[in-house]
Amino acid sequence: MDYPEHTVLSVVVGSRAYGLETEASDTDRRGVFAVPAALFWRLDKPPTHLDGPRPEQFSWELERFCVLALQANPTVLECLWSPIVELATPVGQELRALRGAFVSRRARETFVEYAEAQFRRLKPERPNHKQAMHMIRLLLSGRHLLEHGEPLVEVGAHRERLLAVRRGELPFAEVVAWRRELADGLAALPDVLPEQPDRGAVEEFLVRVRKASL
């Protein structure tokens, strides 16, 4: 079974979607594929995710994608708001239209947790400047999500300062202070998000897609 044939959504993420690309930037792609329901009846189940076939490409099966999005996974949520959509079938378009159903106040925790995990991997004596940049970008995205109900994917307004972090031009202490300011703000910021995602709407969508594939 050639699962990429069942792709319903393919977007560009990473630096090109964030507005942080340089001449050396790769094109990172993320996708969603919807396996025909009958294939789940077999002993060998379809994969929940796939690497490739292009370099820097990764895809989730629709159900797995929905589960992660309902859990406010930052990487998955940002796929739904990527400004660069390379493919969207009718199912993919409906998934994008449904994106507001996935957001909830849980994002306050997940965006901070993901950024904190990146921060713990940074070594002050030899920091990974690219990782530090994306840690800050993630916190900016989370703040925007709390304030406006959607993550901030394209961060052009912060491009120069973020690229200065990536080039190692900002002292590490200044990066740490920026990160603390954003993390503290996320903890205290009033939000416009619902307490829980609309799990019922997502499940209705998933069941409808499965039935249509029989």
Side-chain angles (χ1 to χ4, degrees):
M1 173 63 63
D2 188 5
Y3 293 106
E5 285 188 359
H6 301 291
T7 297
V8 298
L9 181 67
S10 179
V11 302
V12 173
V13 296
S15 59
R16 296 193 182 280
Y18 303 148
L20 298 171
E21 72 277 7
T22 65
E23 292 182 358
S25 295
D26 295 324
T27 300
D28 300 305
R29 293 179 170 88
R30 297 294 178 266
V32 182
F33 61 99
V35 174
L39 295 184
F40 288 95
W41 303 340
R42 299 178 178 180
L43 292 175
D44 294 324
K45 305 303 180 187
T48 59
H49 59 271
L50 292 171
D51 283 303
R54 293 178 175 182
E56 310 300 330
Q57 184 174 21
F58 184 91
S59 299
W60 296 270
E61 206 284 320
L62 179 61
E63 181 177 341
R64 179 59 176 164
F65 183 89
C66 289
V67 168
L68 292 173
L70 286 168
Q71 294 171 350
N73 179 296
T75 302
V76 171
L77 285 181
E78 288 182 348
C79 290
L80 292 171
W81 273 272
S82 170
I84 307 175
V85 179
E86 295 189 320
L87 171 69
T89 68
V91 170
Q93 292 171 11
E94 188 173 357
L95 177 62
R96 292 262 296 186
L98 188 64
R99 59 194 180 183
F102 292 101
V103 298
S104 70
R105 288 179 178 159
R106 185 171 184 178
R108 186 190 299 272
E109 299 175 9
T110 58
F111 276 74
V112 171
E113 287 172 357
Y114 274 60
E116 287 294 308
Q118 292 180 337
F119 179 70
R120 288 193 296 269
R121 291 195 294 269
L122 291 174
K123 299 178 180 179
E125 65 278 8
R126 291 185 61 188
N128 181 323
H129 299 300
K130 181 178 180 180
Q131 185 174 318
M133 178 191 72
H134 285 298
M135 172 191 69
I136 296 294
R137 184 204 61 78
L138 189 61
L139 290 170
L140 289 168
S141 181
R143 184 179 70 180
H144 193 273
L145 176 59
L146 293 182
E147 292 179 321
H148 303 284
E150 60 183 57
L152 181 66
V153 179
E154 205 283 322
V155 291
H158 306 278
R159 174 181 168 88
E160 294 309 316
R161 194 178 182 196
L162 285 169
L163 289 181
V165 173
R166 180 172 180 168
R167 293 190 295 263
E169 295 172 358
L170 262 67
F172 188 66
E174 186 174 336
V175 175
V176 171
W178 192 6
R179 163 251 173 194
R180 173 48 57 197
E181 175 191 352
L182 289 170
D184 288 348
L186 271 171
L189 193 69
D191 66 78
V192 299
L193 302 177
E195 187 67 33
Q196 300 293 334
D198 192 345
R199 184 182 177 92
V202 175
E203 187 166 68
E204 180 183 340
F205 161 72
L206 180 61
V207 170
R208 187 167 64 253
V209 172
R210 295 288 196 233
K211 287 182 176 179
S213 70
L214 292 174

